[in-house]
Structure formats: C-alpha cells, structure tokens
Amino acid sequence: MNVTPMNSLAQVYDREFRVRGLRQQGWGRGLMAAAVLIWLWLGYLLVIPFSVDQGTQLKSVECESRAFHQDGRFAVSHRADTGERCDAERDWGPITAGLLLSLPFAVLGTGLYVSGTTTLRTAAYAADIARLNTTKEI
C-alpha cells in the first residue's frame, strides 16, 4: 500500500476542527448537567416530606410531600390535606420558575452536544474518505 501524507495545513485544520467539536461536546455536557441538577432539586422538593418551624414556638410541623400527600380516595389539594403553612413552604411558583430556568440549559446543552458529535463524526468520515482515496492497492 502506498499512502500519501496529508499536508500540514490540512492536518492543522483537521485538528482544530476536532478540538472545536470536543469543546462543543464539553459545553453541551456541562449545560445538560446543570439542567439535570435543577431537575433533581425540583424532584427533591416535590417528592420528599419536610418539616416547617412554627415560628415563635420551638415545635415544627411535619408536612407530606407535594407529590404523595393524598391518602384517601378523593382528590384533595395539598393545602386542604396538609395545611396552609405546609402549602406556603413549598409553593408552586419557585418550583415552576426552576423548571422554566432549566429549559434553556437543557435545549442549548443538547444542541451543543449534538453539534459537537456531528463535527467529530464528520471529521472521522472525511479522514476515512481521504484515506480510501489515497490508498492504492498493489
């Protein structure tokens, strides 16, 4: 087999192209990790039972989670089931805001990761095509 070497400018461009793809993948992973951390925190707020201090008294009230607060057959709101103090402690506003805050991280992270992966696959494909074009069988 006879393989002609790639010129140095093409090698530099190929290396930079691959590094850019790896960098995009890294940023995508980081942004998706940030979104996952927000989702885990929101899941914790929705699923885990908690306690609320009564204020001036040294006694705390045990509250059921927002997701699993119903024991009966009838649909009852969290406020009616656990009380106003428990309902105010885990209000829907901050939970919804956290979910909305995580969406740009997830979308942008996914886009960057897919773009980086596509860049790396394209570089590998171009290298394979160049190798096949330059290889001559004896």
Side-chain angles (χ1 to χ4, degrees), residues 17-18 20-22 24 114-124:
F17 191 72
R18 290 172 191 264
R20 187 172 47 241
L22 288 170
Q24 284 178 333
V114 167
S115 176
T117 302
T118 303
T119 298
L120 294 175
R121 298 279 297 182
T122 302

Side-chain angles (χ1 to χ4, degrees), residues 6 9 16 33 39 53 79 83 87 91 110 123 135:
M6 193 186 303
L9 286 176
E16 288 177 2
W39 293 336
D53 292 334
R79 175 176 285 188
D87 188 60
D91 190 22
T110 302
T135 304

Side-chain angles (χ1 to χ4, degrees), residues 52-133:
V52 178
D53 292 334
Q54 284 290 1
T56 59
Q57 301 171 352
L58 296 175
K59 185 176 147 188
S60 64
V61 175
E62 295 297 320
C63 301
E64 295 180 23
S65 70
R66 274 213 171 267
F68 303 114
H69 66 86
Q70 288 180 292
D71 290 330
R73 297 180 316 171
F74 302 108
V76 181
S77 71
H78 187 257
R79 175 176 285 188
D81 197 19
T82 61
E84 196 167 316
R85 182 87 172 142
C86 290
D87 188 60
E89 186 69 22
R90 296 268 171 101
D91 190 22
W92 279 113
I95 294 172
T96 305
L99 180 64
L100 292 175
L101 174 71
S102 71
L103 291 179
F105 288 110
V107 170
L108 188 60
T110 302
L112 283 173
Y113 183 78
V114 167
S115 176
T117 302
T118 303
T119 298
L120 294 175
R121 298 279 297 182
T122 302
Y125 174 76
D128 289 343
I129 293 297
R131 193 175 308 115
L132 288 172
N133 284 336

